[in-house]
Amino acid sequence: MQCDICLRSPSCRLAFNCTTCARNVVHEPRIQLLQTLLHSEAIGQEVESHLGARPAASKKKATTKSPEVNPTWTLEQTIGEQAASTERTQDILSHVEALRKETDSMRIEVAKRKAKLLRRRSDLNSANDALSQREAVAIDPVEKGLRRMEHRWDAMHIKTAESRVFLCREAAQLYGLQQRKRKRGGPGRDVYFIGGIPIADLRDLNNASPAQVTTSTTNLAHLIHLISHYLSVRLPAEITLSHRDYPLPTILSPISSYISRDVPFPGSTPSHSSNNSPSASRTADQRSLPRPRPLHLDRKLSALAKEDPVAYALFVEGITFLAWDIAWVCKTQGLNVGANSWEEVCAMGRNLWQLLVAPPAPHPGSGPPVMPGSLSRPGISRVPTSALSNVPEDSKAPSSAMLGHFSHGTAHSFLAAAAGTEYMRGWRLQTPVKVVEKVKAMLLSERTGAEWEILEGNEWEEDGATAAPMTAGGGGEAFHAGMKERGSGADGHHAQAKEGSGVGGEGGGDGMATGGEDGGGKGKGSSGWMKVKSRGGT
């Protein structure tokens, strides 16, 4: 019979397109399944009828057993349950036996491992004991050797420091570094000489002679350069000594120092700039050269300040750098310059004399002096008792154990190491910038507030009777003769510079510069400094 919807026969094997075809196909199998279920139910009822049908109440309460159950079925059921229980018991017993055997084997294994661990621990203890003994035997000679080497190293360092001290003091003696103390109760300061020339103090530069300043700074530059070489310390501000095409020493700022380049003398032309060839211009170093600071004067400092302020500033910076270099070397060797005031740096001669010539200061206490870096050693240099008697009680000379101790040339007591850095950290004058500013301000204020006026030859003649005793002639010669007597030596020079009465304050300085740059140009009495109250009242 064809389908009314898709018009296909029931035996068609094509895919279904409608529900009617699907229903027709599954109709026969459903009828067969129903028959099979009915047959199975009939057989089950027949079996239950043979074994004993359960009452209707047992269907509601499945847990309650009916008294009318067949004894044979009950017996068979009990026998089956017993057999299953026996089988489960056997399985449990066999499993327990297997666990027991495994436990016993594990106990045996644990016992074996414990014994093995005890044996290994005993071997380890014996090996450690033997190793400790071998270590003690091996380390003891090494430690003794290290101690001997360290002792020899310290002894060699002490000998090196003694040699440094000897060389430095011999150099100071050869350069003629001396002290001339002022009279007790007199004005001025102690005067220090090098090579017979008074060493200029930065506080007295306005009244200093140019020839004396140039000579003393040149000698100081040579001496401090030699001392730094002997002490194996590198000066923070590099000093360039005089050599070929470099007539006078100069000094560089700390930032421009040690650049390993040839710096020309101030005012001269660099060698590479004189060659104008293209190849030379290509190979020449185009970087700007540092500007060295001069350490010489060709005129009075006050005149230099008026005529050439740039050269004046460079000279003041240069001589301040030199003084700061000396103070830095003093600090590295145990003399704390600048601890109280920056003016301590200005006294270059005093600082060098206290470092090199003055005997070591007596150390308080009975024990040896303790040096930085936790190194306690006896004094390095021996000073005669006669020399100690000439030292004032308030001398600030460094301890002998410090002089020659720190350096840049040895690994022992290396100045750039932790101990040296910690020692230098407490110094107040780490850079010379503040000192340069203070010196410039001090010199400027001294020139501004001194009320000094320079008088030329015609102005001396205009003053007539007032200037007559001091002009050229008998009176002038007598005046200069008297000033020479008063100004012979540096004590008179500093005393007159401090007093500042009339012309005598500068006359002593000119008298000491006789034969220098100022002595050949003008005659005596032709010009000079004079303090005047009022030009209108004369």
Side-chain angles (χ1 to χ4, degrees):
M1 178 176 181
Q2 293 182 348
C3 179
D4 295 338
I5 298 174
C6 60
L7 301 179
R8 291 183 180 181
S9 61
S11 61
C12 184
R13 298 183 177 274
L14 298 174
F16 301 135
N17 292 328
C18 62
T19 57
T20 304
C21 292
R23 192 183 303 112
N24 292 336
V25 170
V26 300
H27 182 69
E28 290 297 331
R30 292 177 64 185
I31 293 175
Q32 293 177 3
L33 179 60
L34 182 59
Q35 290 177 355
T36 302
L37 293 175
L38 291 175
H39 183 65
S40 298
E41 186 178 358
I43 292 174
Q45 290 179 359
E46 185 177 358
V47 171
E48 287 180 358
S49 65
H50 286 290
L51 295 177
R54 295 181 180 179
S58 63
K59 295 181 180 180
K60 297 181 181 180
K61 298 181 180 180
T63 56
T64 59
K65 296 183 178 180
S66 174
E68 298 179 357
V69 176
N70 193 349
T72 304
W73 168 254
T74 304
L75 180 60
E76 292 293 337
Q77 187 177 5
T78 303
I79 292 172
E81 292 177 357
Q82 184 178 1
S85 176
T86 302
E87 186 177 359
R88 287 196 302 273
T89 303
Q90 292 296 331
D91 293 340
I92 292 172
L93 291 176
S94 62
H95 186 62
V96 168
E97 185 66 22
L99 291 176
R100 186 179 291 110
K101 290 180 179 179
E102 186 178 358
T103 303
D104 293 340
S105 63
M106 293 298 294
R107 287 177 180 173
I108 295 172
E109 183 68 21
V110 168
K112 290 181 180 179
R113 290 188 179 184
K114 285 184 177 180
K116 185 177 180 180
L117 289 175
L118 289 175
R119 185 168 57 255
R120 293 179 64 182
R121 189 176 291 110
S122 177
D123 295 341
L124 179 62
N125 292 332
S126 60
N128 287 334
D129 295 339
L131 181 62
S132 300
Q133 295 176 0
R134 289 196 298 270
E135 283 182 356
V137 173
I139 291 176
D140 185 60
V142 176
E143 290 181 347
K144 289 182 179 178
L146 289 176
R147 286 194 294 269
R148 286 196 301 269
M149 185 64 67
E150 188 173 350
H151 178 71
R152 291 168 57 188
W153 192 24
D154 293 340
M156 181 61 67
H157 178 69
I158 293 176
K159 292 181 180 179
T160 304
E162 290 176 353
S163 302
R164 290 170 179 169
V165 173
F166 174 78
L167 291 174
C168 292
R169 292 185 173 174
E170 288 296 319
Q173 183 178 359
L174 290 175
Y175 271 81
L177 185 61
Q178 298 175 355
Q179 179 195 37
R180 181 176 298 176
K181 297 185 67 65
R182 70 180 185 275
K183 296 181 180 180
R184 182 173 297 179
R189 291 181 286 268
D190 297 343
V191 185
Y192 298 87
F193 292 81
I194 183 168
I197 303 298
I199 300 176
D201 194 300
L202 299 187
R203 293 165 290 188
D204 301 331
L205 286 179
N206 283 327
N207 301 322
S209 170
Q212 290 181 357
V213 171
T214 302
T215 307
S216 62
T217 52
T218 301
N219 292 337
L220 280 178
H222 281 80
L223 179 58
I224 194 62
H225 189 276
L226 188 61
I227 294 302
S228 66
H229 173 68
Y230 288 156
L231 295 176
S232 298
V233 294
R234 193 177 79 165
L235 297 174
E238 182 183 4
I239 297 175
T240 305
L241 299 180
S242 56
H243 53 276
R244 183 179 180 182
D245 298 331
Y246 213 93
L248 293 170
T250 58
I251 191 170
L252 293 171
S253 63
I255 300 177
S256 304
S257 299
Y258 307 103
I259 59 174
S260 300
R261 296 174 62 192
D262 293 333
V263 180
F265 187 74
S268 62
T269 305
S271 58
H272 64 82
S273 63
S274 60
N275 192 352
N276 297 324
S277 63
S279 59
S281 62
R282 286 194 299 268
T283 57
D285 194 351
Q286 299 300 327
R287 293 177 297 172
S288 60
L289 293 173
R291 191 169 191 178
R293 273 63 172 178
L295 295 175
H296 58 275
L297 279 177
D298 57 355
R299 71 199 78 173
K300 286 287 187 178
L301 191 64
S302 56
L304 182 64
K306 294 179 181 179
E307 299 171 5
D308 194 350
V310 177
Y312 165 78
L314 291 177
F315 172 76
V316 173
E317 290 179 5
I319 197 169
T320 308
F321 288 158
L322 179 63
W324 183 72
D325 267 353
I326 295 174
W328 183 86
V329 172
C330 293
K331 174 60 180 177
T332 60
Q333 306 306 315
L335 180 59
N336 192 7
V337 175
N340 300 323
S341 173
W342 65 271
E343 292 187 358
E344 296 179 1
V345 181
C346 300
M348 297 184 290
R350 171 173 165 269
N351 296 334
L352 266 184
W353 186 84
Q354 288 181 350
L355 178 67
L356 303 176
V357 181
H363 205 277
S366 58
V370 179
M371 295 183 299
S374 301
L375 296 175
S376 178
R377 298 186 179 90
I380 293 177
S381 60
R382 274 66 176 173
V383 182
T385 308
S386 59
L388 285 174
S389 61
N390 298 327
V391 181
E393 296 180 357
D394 57 347
S395 175
K396 296 182 181 179
S399 172
S400 60
M402 278 295 299
L403 187 57
H405 176 63
F406 283 118
S407 70
H408 288 124
T410 56
H412 194 293
S413 304
F414 186 54
L415 187 59
T421 306
E422 183 66 25
Y423 170 67
M424 293 296 295
R425 185 177 299 171
W427 195 37
R428 296 177 55 186
L429 306 175
Q430 294 292 337
T431 59
V433 179
K434 293 184 178 180
V435 182
V436 171
E437 294 176 355
K438 295 282 188 180
V439 172
K440 287 183 178 180
M442 178 191 63
L443 295 176
L444 178 61
S445 62
E446 183 179 352
R447 289 196 309 272
T448 304
E451 296 181 359
W452 293 91
E453 182 176 307
I454 188 167
L455 299 180
E456 299 296 339
N458 54 356
E459 294 179 337
W460 283 98
E461 296 174 358
E462 291 175 1
D463 287 341
T466 305
M470 292 178 287
T471 54
E477 293 176 356
F479 169 78
H480 279 280
M483 294 312 299
K484 283 185 179 180
E485 293 178 0
R486 294 182 56 191
S488 59
D491 289 336
H493 165 65
H494 282 277
Q496 294 161 13
K498 276 296 180 182
E499 290 172 358
S501 58
V503 191
E506 185 62 25
D510 291 338
M512 294 178 63
T514 305
E517 296 180 14
D518 295 329
K522 299 180 180 180
K524 297 180 180 179
S526 60
S527 65
W529 290 91
M530 181 176 181
K531 186 176 182 181
V532 294
K533 297 181 180 180
S534 175
R535 294 297 304 274
T538 57

